[in-house]
Amino acid sequence: MTAAARPPAGDCPVDDAWLTALMADLFPLSRSITGDGTRATLARVRREIALTVHEVPTGTSVLDWSVPEEWNLRRARLIAPDGSVAVDTADSNLHVVGYSTPVRGEYALVDLLPRLHSLPSHPELVPYRTSYHVRDWGFCLSQQTRAALLPGRYGVEIDTSLAPGSLSYGELLVPGRVRDEVLITTHICHPSLANDNLTGIAAATVLARWAVRESHRHTYRFLFLPATIGAVTWLARNQDATAHVRYGLVLTGLGDPAPLTYKSSRRGNTAMDRLMSHLVTHSGGTTKDWYPYGYDERQFCSPGFDLPVGRLSRAMHGTYPQYHTSADDLSFVSGGQVRAAVAIVLAAFDAIESGLVPRSLAPYGEPQLGRRGLFRGLGGTLEKTSSEYALLWLLSLADGEHDLVAVAERSGLTLREVMTAAEALRAAGLLA
Ligand code: ZN
């Protein structure tokens, strides 16, 4: 990311200390797609924004799925033949396979090995594994720990519960003057992993605070969902509301060192796609076309809903060695990276709020700008970087078809310069 192109960090309304404190509080919680760790996560976010927490009972039909049994982890340990503790979730909640069934017993090492998950390519890291939909159990440990296990009989103590309960998700709807909606979502189901996705939770929380405090024309909705099943559950319960979504973003993986990546919606040519592609590219980041794997954009963009929802990340999931391992900890993420990502989304909000498609109210000939104090009236050449030049570009393209991004791209001006010109022309009664 080029330093010159990045929006000033001051555009993000919280500082590093605020983000660090939030993520440090959330990091140790044993999140999953259901359970008390996820509730505790929503409760912590609720200290910052007035989330409504929904509980949807186990067995509820949601689209083609069913809300699963609720899983809770108290502790899981693997006890070596000499009585020492080889693996313990008290050290890291990554050490047990998510949704492991309760187990208490003794197993020979040779029988345990298929249930011990490690990463031979990164022998010091503990992988993150789950088995939501197939009843199973297992431990995750470093290859180094696994290789040091001596033959013999091991004690397995997996103190979990898997029983009827509910799926929890958080929602905040901030009404605007119009019902047209901006939808921001993030997933909340990963245990002690920082980039994926405490950074998404933190960014969505900051953006929600902005929506609550600032006056805005659009309605803003923020969803904190367990991945996949949470998005499916929300969509099943809110099919009518989806008709109002005009712009949407899935936020995940925003704190790693890589430049930003915008993954377009399935449609690929929505106003959000154009806006985010422009902002992210101009911040030194890259854009990616739609592909049917990733996070909850898969649900929101499924053909029946077909929502204009893209995804903002930095390094794409699965492409960096820390992904879904114990190395995705708080030291891997930086508050500055999260703040820069928030600043880009706020710039998008700014453009959405200012009205993306301007229309000239004086389209017959050029309106006389000097009379309105918008043109200095000096003859001769006009600097291409001057504010007057931006006014002329905007007036010449404000036909109700070119959006602000098109004006910026055709003129070579920044989106901010085009928006400043639009505000000036609107104030002068020249632009709708
Ligand atoms: Zn993930």
Side-chain angles (χ1 to χ4, degrees), residues 38 42 51-56 167-171 188 223-226 230 233-235 237-238:
T38 304
L42 294 171
L51 274 186
T52 299
V53 176
H54 301 270
E55 297 283 349
V56 184
L167 175 149
S168 321
Y169 69 85
E171 180 168 30
I188 56 164
L223 298 176
F224 296 76
L225 305 166
T233 300
W234 183 84
L235 284 164
R237 291 158 57 95
N238 293 276

Side-chain angles (χ1 to χ4, degrees), residues 4 6 8 19 26 36 92-93 116 133 135 166 205 224 229 310 368 376 388 420:
R6 183 187 293 173
L19 285 165
L26 294 174
D36 290 334
S92 164
N93 56 36
L116 303 183
H133 304 294
R135 285 201 170 229
S166 59
T205 305
F224 296 76
I229 186 66
Q368 198 184 355
R376 280 169 298 177
E388 286 93 339
T420 302

Side-chain angles (χ1 to χ4, degrees), residues 128 187 189-190 193 196-197 227 252 294-295 317-318 320 323-324 328:
Y128 164 52
H187 63 268
C189 52
H190 289 34
L193 299 170
D196 180 18
N197 189 33
T252 173
Y295 282 105
H317 66 280
Y320 52 99
Y323 174 74
H324 279 193
D328 183 3

Side-chain angles (χ1 to χ4, degrees), residues 243-266:
H244 300 287
V245 176
R246 296 287 173 270
Y247 311 92
L249 265 186
V250 172
L251 300 178
T252 173
L254 297 171
D256 64 76
L260 287 165
T261 308
Y262 176 71
K263 175 187 170 184
S264 76
S265 71
R266 193 180 63 97

